[in-house]
């Protein structure tokens, strides 16, 4: 973030705070670009979210309070919060205020689960954890999670079924340092979404993800688990999920059976 532009509603506090968050020092060569003031306020609010000042599910200060805190106009704060809400970092509730978004909220349950039934109402699958163990990160996993090759990762393999029908076979790799104590027993006893567990017990909230999707044919081992013929078509979805600060904290590969489901994403 660059040095804050002048603002009639600011006494310089927001600008100086923004500089402390990575802005330009007064003695540095001026940058040819600058960030709008609302973007700088958005970054400062995000820092507070990242530091845990306001935890998932908690009410954050009002726009008036934040405007006073950062010495900017309420409109500037509103624009910053608009973007945070669009990015699912906060949730506005009519008549109640703005809350830190949480993966435990019902509305968030399908944000990262894109496989929808061709008929009927979307619902969560049942999980069968086939493997949960700590291993040394293979080179490709380490690269995608920004780890050193050989660093510890938690490896999870699970089968997900809808109404008793095997539909998704997933492998996950998580940084071992962040997810100490994550066991098969803990995963099995937790009844909410996996990302809710990561958020509440390991202090790691998934903010965004990138995915690559391609068509593959089921090999013998995967076909047996999914109860399909070897060579049957599957969607292979490779996902890297990120927390605050664009830090990669999960690598996931899913094999999706689409006989009665389809992959659905909303583009905006």
């Amino acid at each position: 973030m660059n040095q804050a532009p002048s603002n009639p509603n600011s006494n310089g506090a927001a600008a100086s705070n923004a500089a402390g968050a990575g802005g330009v020092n007064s003695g540095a060569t001026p940058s040819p670009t600058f960030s709008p003031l609302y973007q700088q306020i958005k970054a400062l609010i995000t820092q507070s979210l990242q530091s845990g000042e306001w935890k998932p599910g908690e009410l954050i200060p009002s726009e008036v309070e934040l405007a006073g805190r950062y010495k900017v106009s309420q409109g500037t704060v509103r624009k910053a919060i608009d973007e945070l809400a669009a990015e699912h970092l906060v949730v506005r509730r009519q008549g109640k205020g703005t809350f830190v978004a949480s993966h435990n909220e019902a509305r968030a349950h399908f944000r990262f689960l894109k496989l929808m039934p061709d008929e009927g109402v979307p619902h969560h699958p049942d999980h069968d954890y086939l493997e949960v163990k700590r291993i040394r990160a293979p080179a490709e996993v380490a690269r995608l999670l920004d780890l050193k090759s050989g660093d510890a990762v938690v490896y999870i393999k699970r089968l997900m079924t809808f109404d008793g029908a095997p539909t998704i076979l997933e492998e996950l790799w998580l940084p071992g340092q962040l997810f100490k104590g994550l066991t098969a027993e803990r995963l099995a006893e937790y009844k909410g979404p996996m990302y809710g567990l990561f958020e509440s017990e390991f202090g790691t909230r998934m903010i965004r993800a990138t995915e690559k999707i391609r068509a593959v044919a089921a090999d013998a081992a995967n076909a047996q688990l999914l109860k399909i013929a070897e060579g049957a078509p599957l969607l292979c979805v490779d996902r890297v999920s990120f927390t605050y600060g664009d830090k990669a904290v999960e690598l996931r590969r899913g094999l999706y059976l689409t006989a009665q489901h389809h992959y659905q994403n909303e583009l905006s």
Side-chain angles (χ1 to χ4, degrees), residues 180-227:
K180 288 180 178 178
L182 182 59
T183 63
E185 293 75 19
R186 188 67 195 95
L187 285 165
E189 70 184 18
Y190 187 79
K191 301 308 179 185
M194 179 182 280
Y195 281 176
L197 174 66
F198 294 171
E199 175 185 276
S200 60
E201 298 204 9
F202 297 93
T204 301
R205 183 165 190 276
M206 305 304 180
I207 301 302
R208 70 173 188 91
T210 61
E211 290 188 336
K212 295 180 180 179
I213 303 176
R214 63 185 185 277
V216 299
D219 63 22
N222 294 332
Q224 184 176 10
L225 289 170
L226 289 169
K227 297 182 180 179

Side-chain angles (χ1 to χ4, degrees), residues 105-116 122-125:
E105 294 177 3
R107 73 178 68 191
H109 287 183
F110 293 98
R111 184 179 166 207
F112 289 93
L113 179 60
K114 300 297 186 181
L115 200 66
M116 298 295 169
H123 61 282
H124 279 285

Side-chain angles (χ1 to χ4, degrees), residues 8 31 41 51-52 79 90 95 104-105 121 126 142-143 164 168 173 184 194 197 210 212 216 230 261:
S31 171
I41 301 306
S51 70
K79 195 168 183 180
V90 298
N104 285 309
E105 294 177 3
V121 178
D126 295 319
R143 182 182 68 81
I168 304 174
W173 295 264
M194 179 182 280
L197 174 66
T210 61
K212 295 180 180 179
V216 299
E230 184 177 352
H261 291 77

Side-chain angles (χ1 to χ4, degrees), residues 19-125:
V24 178
N25 294 327
S26 58
T29 302
S31 171
T33 61
F34 66 94
S35 296
L37 186 58
Y38 81 90
Q39 289 279 1
Q40 300 188 39
I41 301 306
K42 174 187 172 186
L44 293 172
I45 295 172
T46 302
Q47 284 184 355
S48 291
L49 296 174
Q50 184 175 2
S51 70
E53 179 179 350
W54 311 309
K55 294 181 171 52
E58 286 186 353
L59 178 70
I60 71 170
S62 69
E63 292 176 0
V64 172
E65 292 171 319
L66 290 171
R69 172 174 176 165
Y70 299 124
K71 303 297 188 292
V72 296
S73 71
Q74 187 178 344
T76 297
V77 171
R78 183 177 299 115
K79 195 168 183 180
I81 292 179
D82 283 344
E83 287 206 354
L84 292 169
E87 294 171 8
H88 306 287
L89 297 186
V90 298
V91 177
R92 282 194 169 104
R93 295 178 185 161
Q94 188 68 31
K96 295 182 178 180
T98 301
F99 294 77
V100 182
S102 170
H103 287 294
N104 285 309
E105 294 177 3
R107 73 178 68 191
H109 287 183
F110 293 98
R111 184 179 166 207
F112 289 93
L113 179 60
K114 300 297 186 181
L115 200 66
M116 298 295 169
D118 292 337
E119 298 180 0
V121 178
H123 61 282
H124 279 285

